[in-house]
């Protein structure tokens, strides 16, 4: 018996589908700010909450960013 080789070809369609999947593992301040600038406030808040868990020493800063975003939501 010969071993079966599964050929996998690059599929732009499949790659595009994967690009819109949220990667919950990758969070950064920069990514959060990009979401703020794009007006995606819920996503930015979610990222800042994860950053609080990952970097508790910066909790106060991240909490202030969340308050800032929540104020933007309230006054929009």
């Amino acid at each position: 018996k010969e071993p079966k080789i599964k050929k996998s070809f690059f599929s732009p369609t499949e790659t595009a589908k994967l690009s819109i999947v949220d990667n919950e593992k990758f969070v950064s301040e920069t990514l959060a700010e990009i979401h703020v600038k794009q007006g995606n406030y819920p996503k930015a808040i979610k990222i800042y909450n994860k950053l609080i868990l990952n970097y508790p020493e910066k909790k106060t800063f991240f909490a202030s960013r969340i308050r800032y975003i929540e104020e933007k939501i309230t006054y929009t």
Side-chain angles (χ1 to χ4, degrees):
K1 250 182 173 180
E2 288 188 36
K4 292 184 181 180
I5 299 174
K6 182 179 179 182
K7 292 183 181 178
S8 141
F9 295 99
F10 174 76
S11 168
T13 306
E14 291 305 311
T15 303
K17 286 178 188 175
L18 290 174
S19 72
I20 62 170
V21 173
D22 255 348
N23 186 347
E24 299 290 330
K25 294 178 186 175
F26 179 74
V27 294
S28 70
E29 291 179 54
T30 303
L31 184 58
E33 284 305 308
I34 289 170
H35 284 292
V36 170
K37 288 180 181 175
Q38 291 177 344
N40 190 353
Y41 302 131
K43 184 66 179 175
I45 290 171
K46 190 175 185 180
I47 291 171
Y48 277 123
N49 280 319
K50 288 182 185 255
L51 288 169
I52 286 171
L53 297 174
N54 292 345
Y55 304 99
E57 68 276 8
K58 293 182 80 176
K59 178 181 179 177
T60 305
F61 172 74
F62 297 141
S64 72
R65 294 302 297 152
I66 291 171
R67 278 191 301 277
Y68 168 78
I69 296 166
E70 288 172 340
E71 287 175 9
K72 285 183 77 77
I73 293 170
T74 302
Y75 297 113
T76 302

